[in-house]
Amino acid sequence: MKDDELVRCGWASLRPGPDFDLYRNYHDQEWGRPLRGRVALFERMSLEAFQSGLSWLIILRKRENFRRAFSGFDVEKVAGYGDADVERLMADAGIVRNRAKIDATIANARAIAELGSSEDLSDLLWSFAPPPRPRFADASEIPAATAESKAMAAELKRRGFRFVGPTTAYALMQATGMVDDHIAACWVPAAAS
């Protein structure tokens, strides 16, 4: 894709190359856009956990493989995974083969399933979204964690979720539009939550 000269957040400003469209499209069409829904939020929570310590680009490149490997992030199916599934996932070169992250994804599916019909994952996660604030002028002003992400992480841990510490919780908040961390000059319009 040709560079369109639009101002974007620094992390999305790759030079044209094999991953240019992938990264730019994620920034332009998904990141920071309000996202709700059990499957969609479970997927993002899982991918943010897998990303921990790695480049987001690695996760984007493997996203379809993750979807296939984790049954489309169907909560009930993943909650039912057993030892054979863990071994299958550990042998799958198409995903990040980290046992702790695989185990956490399965544990998180079970924690979501335990919410049952009385509580919605969207409502739970979005209850930690802070009020809207002006965009930061520069990415260096964006925090790695906030009081809200610390509270979210603590509540998720209390409910049996794993691999969702304050920094990962904040990345989830950014990715799903609970906070708007596009820089002030970025062309992406602020989205209403």
Side-chain angles (χ1 to χ4, degrees):
M1 179 182 278
K2 183 177 166 246
D3 187 7
D4 55 19
E5 311 272 331
L6 293 173
V7 176
R8 290 181 171 79
C9 300
W11 63 265
S13 300
L14 288 175
R15 293 183 183 191
D19 296 312
F20 184 71
D21 290 344
L22 183 66
Y23 222 42
R24 188 161 85 170
N25 290 341
Y26 176 72
H27 170 271
D28 291 0
Q29 298 167 18
E30 291 186 68
W31 192 78
R33 305 283 176 129
L35 182 70
R36 296 184 193 279
R38 190 178 198 213
V39 171
L41 287 170
F42 175 46
E43 175 182 344
R44 291 289 183 87
M45 176 186 285
S46 301
L47 295 179
E48 291 295 342
F50 274 101
Q51 183 274 329
S52 183
L54 301 172
S55 161
W56 183 245
L57 193 52
I58 291 170
I59 303 305
L60 282 179
R61 287 179 189 142
K62 295 176 177 276
R63 190 175 193 180
E64 290 305 317
N65 295 332
F66 276 108
R67 286 176 173 159
R68 177 191 43 74
F70 285 97
S71 304
F73 291 97
D74 179 292
V75 171
E76 280 71 27
K77 286 182 182 176
V78 177
Y81 281 8
D83 292 341
D85 295 293
V86 172
E87 292 310 313
R88 171 183 58 81
L89 293 165
M90 286 298 296
D92 189 339
I95 66 168
V96 174
R97 295 176 288 182
N98 178 303
R99 185 173 296 274
K101 293 176 182 181
I102 290 168
D103 289 342
T105 301
I106 297 166
N108 292 348
R110 291 174 180 157
I112 294 167
E114 286 180 22
L115 293 176
S117 59
S118 64
E119 189 169 20
D120 180 69
L121 180 62
S122 293
D123 292 341
L124 172 61
L125 296 178
W126 277 85
S127 72
F128 295 97
R133 57 162 163 66
R135 287 179 169 180
F136 293 109
D138 185 82
S140 66
E141 300 174 53
I142 298 171
T146 62
E148 294 87 0
S149 74
K150 290 173 187 173
M152 177 192 280
E155 180 60 17
L156 292 174
K157 182 176 181 181
R158 186 187 74 75
R159 291 173 181 257
F161 286 81
R162 295 174 19 200
F163 236 100
V164 186
T167 302
T168 300
Y170 192 69
L172 177 65
M173 294 172 92
Q174 291 174 304
T176 60
M178 292 177 211
V179 296
D180 180 1
D181 275 348
H182 286 280
I183 59 168
C186 182
W187 80 267
V188 173
S193 58

